[in-house]
């Protein structure tokens, strides 16, 4: 959500007017989730691409759509298991500016394809289980901020509200004669609030800028979902399982920089999301050409 907001709201260069444009941005992130005594610690990383189109509705509003592809890999090295996923998302966004106040609305729906490898070694049993399953995601994000600018300095406090729904189809693992699992369909809802601000300093006749952003994100839902699973070899027996509890509060902190070279605009951003059970490092890079 932070990557999307940064791109479509022009946080990299708020001085640019609304432009009828085709744009691209890339991003990557890496992070880890600590073990909570139930599930193993997990490391994950991803690489994503965004391609969008923006139309100016009037002097103060714009409408846009974009496609997002993301490749993610999650690994629990302690048990030699991992999941790879390909995500495809289509999004719609609307931006409105009134004096120094901005409002940004974003909505998306997406499809995910997962491939999992789970190794099990217990006593004399050593098996590798493979999974191939699908999922869907949808979200709505609203962000509002106020901008104060004085000479070469800009301050922008903001607040936001996010809703997300994640669904995974039920599936059966293959490969293991004894330990292969059959898992039920899973559904998770998330409602989050975000409060923070960013400060930006301009230099070199406003061609170069550096800024820092900080925000607090709070999850309102208890999204630690329990789900039913069972062994494929004994279909009549089921048990409950759950994933790692990610915690309900996250602190986001990140610097970024922007360089404008005539019609070309280059930007680079880093962000650390620090939560109760882990830390996420993300980066965004991009270039824009206007004519």
């Amino acid at each position: 959500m932070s990557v999307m907001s940064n791109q479509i709201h022009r946080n990299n260069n708020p001085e640019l007017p609304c432009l009828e444009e085709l744009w691209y941005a890339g991003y990557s992130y890496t992070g880890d989730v600590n073990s909570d005594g139930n599930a193993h610690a997990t490391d994950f990383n991803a690489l994503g691409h965004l391609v969008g189109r923006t139309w100016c509705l009037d002097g103060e509003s714009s409408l846009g759509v974009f496609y997002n592809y993301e490749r993610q890999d999650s690994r629990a090295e302690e048990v030699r298991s991992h999941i790879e996923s390909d995500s495809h998302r289509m999004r719609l966004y609307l931006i409105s500016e009134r004096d120094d106040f901005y409002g940004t609305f974003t909505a998306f729906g997406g499809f995910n394809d997962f491939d999992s490898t789970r190794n099990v070694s217990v006593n004399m049993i050593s098996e590798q289980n493979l999974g191939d399953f699908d999922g869907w995601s949808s979200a709505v994000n609203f962000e509002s901020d106020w901008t104060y600018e004085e000479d070469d300095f800009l301050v922008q406090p903001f607040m936001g509200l996010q809703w997300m729904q994640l669904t995974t189809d039920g599936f059966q693992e293959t490969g293991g004669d004894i330990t292969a699992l059959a898992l039920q369909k899973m559904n998770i809802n998330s409602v989050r609030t975000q409060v923070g601000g960013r400060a930006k300093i301009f230099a070199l006749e406003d061609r170069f800028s550096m800024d820092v952003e900080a925000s607090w994100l709070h999850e309102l839902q208890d999204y630690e979902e329990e789900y039913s699973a069972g062994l494929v070899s004994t279909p009549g027996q089921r048990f409950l399982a759950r994933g790692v509890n990610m915690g309900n509060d996250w602190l986001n902190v990140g610097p970024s920089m922007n360089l404008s070279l005539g019609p070309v605009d280059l930007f680079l951003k880093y962000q650390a999301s620090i939560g109760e059970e882990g830390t996420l490092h993300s980066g965004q890079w991009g270039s824009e050409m206007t004519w």
Side-chain angles (χ1 to χ4, degrees), residues 95 128-129:
I95 304 173
Q128 185 179 77
N129 301 286

Side-chain angles (χ1 to χ4, degrees), residues 92-109:
L92 171 73
Y93 61 90
L94 177 65
I95 304 173
S96 181
E97 174 188 356
R98 295 294 183 269
D99 296 325
D100 294 326
F101 291 89
Y102 289 80
T104 304
F105 172 82
T106 311
F108 79 79

Side-chain angles (χ1 to χ4, degrees), residues 6 105 111 113 133 191 228 231 246-247 254:
N6 185 61
F105 172 82
F111 167 79
D113 177 59
F133 54 103
V191 179
S228 175
L231 296 173
M246 298 284 286

Side-chain angles (χ1 to χ4, degrees), residues 194-206:
Q194 187 174 21
V195 178
R198 60 182 65 93
K200 185 182 291 285
I201 298 176
F202 295 92
L204 301 177
E205 297 180 349
D206 293 344

Side-chain angles (χ1 to χ4, degrees), residues 240-256:
L240 292 178
R242 62 179 175 86
V244 174
N245 186 346
M246 298 284 286
N248 288 72
D249 293 281
W250 292 79
L251 174 65
N252 299 327
V253 180
S256 63

Side-chain angles (χ1 to χ4, degrees), residues 120-134:
V120 181
S121 296
V122 181
N123 297 328
M124 300 298 293
I125 300 174
S126 181
E127 294 186 338
Q128 185 179 77
N129 301 286
L130 304 177
D132 183 4
F133 54 103
D134 299 325

Side-chain angles (χ1 to χ4, degrees), residues 9-274:
H9 194 183
R10 296 193 180 282
N11 291 335
N12 54 295
N13 192 347
E15 297 299 305
L16 286 176
C18 179
L19 299 170
E20 302 264 347
E21 61 176 351
L22 179 69
W23 57 265
Y24 164 81
Y27 65 91
S28 64
Y29 60 83
T30 183
D32 61 86
V33 180
N34 300 325
S35 170
D36 66 353
N38 160 70
H40 289 281
T42 303
D43 298 315
F44 54 92
N45 59 79
L47 179 66
H49 306 274
L50 300 164
V51 178
R53 178 72 167 92
T54 302
W55 295 271
C56 298
L57 301 180
D58 54 39
E60 299 179 327
S61 301
S62 60
L63 175 71
V65 295
F66 59 89
Y67 166 74
N68 173 213
Y69 169 74
E70 181 178 295
R71 176 75 171 179
Q72 184 180 116
D73 181 77
S74 302
R75 294 181 178 271
E77 295 292 350
E78 186 177 352
V79 287
R80 299 177 293 114
S81 301
H82 69 274
I83 295 178
E84 296 177 342
S85 68
D86 292 289
S87 301
H88 305 269
R89 307 180 182 109
M90 291 297 298
R91 305 190 180 217
L92 171 73
Y93 61 90
L94 177 65
I95 304 173
S96 181
E97 174 188 356
R98 295 294 183 269
D99 296 325
D100 294 326
F101 291 89
Y102 289 80
T104 304
F105 172 82
T106 311
F108 79 79
F111 167 79
N112 305 75
D113 177 59
F114 299 91
D115 292 298
S116 64
T117 301
R118 190 175 62 90
N119 291 279
V120 181
S121 296
V122 181
N123 297 328
M124 300 298 293
I125 300 174
S126 181
E127 294 186 338
Q128 185 179 77
N129 301 286
L130 304 177
D132 183 4
F133 54 103
D134 299 325
W136 286 266
S137 58
S138 56
V140 173
N141 179 50
F142 175 76
E143 183 179 304
S144 179
D145 58 51
W146 172 74
T147 301
Y148 171 78
E149 187 172 2
E150 183 69 31
D151 296 329
D152 295 328
F153 183 68
L154 180 147
V155 177
Q156 199 173 54
F158 64 88
M159 59 187 302
L161 179 66
Q162 305 169 359
W163 169 83
M164 286 177 282
Q165 184 179 55
L166 310 174
T167 301
T168 300
D169 280 348
F171 70 99
Q172 291 188 0
E173 292 180 321
T174 60
D177 296 328
I178 300 175
T179 61
L181 291 176
L183 289 89
Q184 73 165 28
K185 180 177 180 179
M186 289 171 275
N187 185 71
I188 295 176
N189 283 280
S190 170
V191 179
R192 300 174 176 183
T193 59
Q194 187 174 21
V195 178
R198 60 182 65 93
K200 185 182 291 285
I201 298 176
F202 295 92
L204 301 177
E205 297 180 349
D206 293 344
R207 291 193 299 269
F208 177 76
S209 64
M210 294 189 64
D211 68 272
V212 61
E213 178 180 314
S215 65
W216 172 64
L217 189 148
H218 177 66
E219 172 63 51
L220 300 177
Q221 298 277 94
D222 183 12
Y223 59 88
E224 183 183 16
E225 185 78 4
E226 286 191 340
Y227 55 92
S228 175
L231 296 173
V232 175
S233 57
T234 55
Q237 301 178 23
R238 311 290 291 179
F239 59 88
L240 292 178
R242 62 179 175 86
V244 174
N245 186 346
M246 298 284 286
N248 288 72
D249 293 281
W250 292 79
L251 174 65
N252 299 327
V253 180
S256 63
M257 62 179 63
N258 178 82
L259 178 63
S260 296
L261 300 172
V264 179
D265 190 57
L266 308 174
F267 58 91
L268 180 67
K269 180 177 182 178
Y270 164 79
Q271 179 171 296
S273 298
I274 305 166

